[in-house]
Amino acid sequence: MSPTPQAPGANLKIDGARLWDSLMEMAKIGPGVAGGNNRQTVTDADGEGRTLFQNWCEAAGCTMGLDEMGTMFARREGTDPAALPVYVGSHLDTQPTGGKYDGVLGVLGGLEVLRTLNDLGIKTRHPIVVTNWTNEEGTRFAPAMLASGVFAGIHDQDWAYARTDADGKAFGDELERIGWKGTEKVGARKMHAFLELHIEQGPILEAEGKDIGVVTHGQGLWWLEITLTGKDAHTGSTPMAMRVNAGLGMARIMEAVHAIAMDHQPGAVGAVGQANVYPNSRNVIPGKAVFTVDIRSPDLEKLTSMRSQVEAAAAGIAKDLGLGISIEPVGHFDPVTFDPTLVNTVRAAAERLGYSHLDIVSGAGHDACWINRVAPTVMVMCPCKDGLSHNEAEEITPDWAAKGTDVLFHAVVETAGIVT
Ligand code: HGY
Ligand code: MN
Ligand code: MN
């Protein structure tokens, strides 16, 4: 048997109905309150979703691996056991008010690739490994892409274990508590390639009427956690001139973040998504505010300029209001350029299948952004309705899901080498 470097025939497609059924089945675990999902990382719901995923992978004949950060690996053997595997996957954890497809489409799309290979009796030279990366969202435990960051050597594992959530629980303890802390050394696995299918989480593909996003780059990101310290006081009896109002400082910095992002157009974004004032009582001037600035750009120079302008503006606002200030970077990665050979493979697959496609830069961060540091990596995207994501109303069509997974199937199988 010889490995043929051929691409799969255009008539080879995945089973879109089976994929959609699996997406809907997974969506039943950790339901949100408005039709989406709340399956946050290393919660019991996350554990349930992991079990379902593992059962499906074992039913598809995979052997399972689990590393010390809880990342799951489902391996389908190739004909050449010495060949490095092709990895394909994303994440099953969701935002607290997340959608049913963010991350999940990439994991179950990878599983659908294996299920289709089994149906067609196709062997590949390289093994294929479907992956569920732990804590991609970074919402319960910052930063985002935590496990893939440890895997790529960006984060120290003990530092990751010590990350705490709003209740002071540590990530490592919670991973152990749900029973999904593996024994494999994180990052020991070497990859031939990594491919990730993901919904766009933005409006471009739908607006342009394109079915497939060929992701050439990912924008860079800074998350800056700012703590402002003022003085709790009575909102009624304290004269305005005597106030040291951390809430006011936060509001002004939020406004500054927006203005700085607008000053760096095109291709820059900025907002504050997480914000807490203390003591958070109706008739107490907030003596403390803790909030996270999220700024992003595909252009490194703009990203760097935005960070320094945000820090300068925040310091100036704090000074004007007599507030103490600390700024802690809690998330960062530079803009990413994905592997050109794999990008061409994805684009050629969309062409072969006759699917409309567009080269695109990923607005959101993904595990692929870190894995790109240690292996040739690429992403495939499908549209999402109104570009909406990180919202329970996130929606895609079965057709978009199937076409995105068809392209993923073709790109993975071509990269893994069909053995006739
Ligand atoms: O923040 C992000 O871009 C990703 O959704 N975690
Ligand atoms: Mn995601
Ligand atoms: Mn997300």
Side-chain angles (χ1 to χ4, degrees), residues 95 102 136-137 144-145 201 221 223 294 296 363-366 390:
Q95 287 283 329
D102 172 359
E136 186 282 338
E137 291 294 356
M145 294 94 79
Q201 299 182 294
L221 160 152
W223 282 358
D294 179 326
R296 309 192 193 200
H366 301 284
H390 286 193

Side-chain angles (χ1 to χ4, degrees), residues 246-306:
L248 177 60
M250 179 171 78
R252 288 186 181 174
I253 292 170
M254 283 180 174
E255 182 66 44
V257 167
H258 180 84
I260 289 165
M262 294 311 289
D263 287 348
H264 285 76
Q265 294 308 308
V269 291
V272 170
Q274 182 187 53
N276 292 292
V277 293
Y278 302 90
N280 198 25
S281 165
R282 289 181 183 79
N283 45 7
V284 177
I285 297 164
K288 185 177 170 189
V290 182
F291 52 102
T292 304
V293 173
D294 179 326
I295 46 178
R296 309 192 193 200
S297 173
D299 178 310
L300 183 56
E301 224 174 287
K302 285 188 177 181
L303 184 65
T304 308
S305 158
M306 284 202 287

Side-chain angles (χ1 to χ4, degrees), residues 1-7 78-80 83 122-126 413-420:
M1 287 194 287
S2 62
T4 48
Q6 83 203 43
T79 57
D80 176 356
I122 292 178
K123 290 186 174 49
T124 57
R125 174 165 168 256
H126 294 261
V413 172
E414 184 173 346
T415 306
I418 296 176
V419 176
T420 49

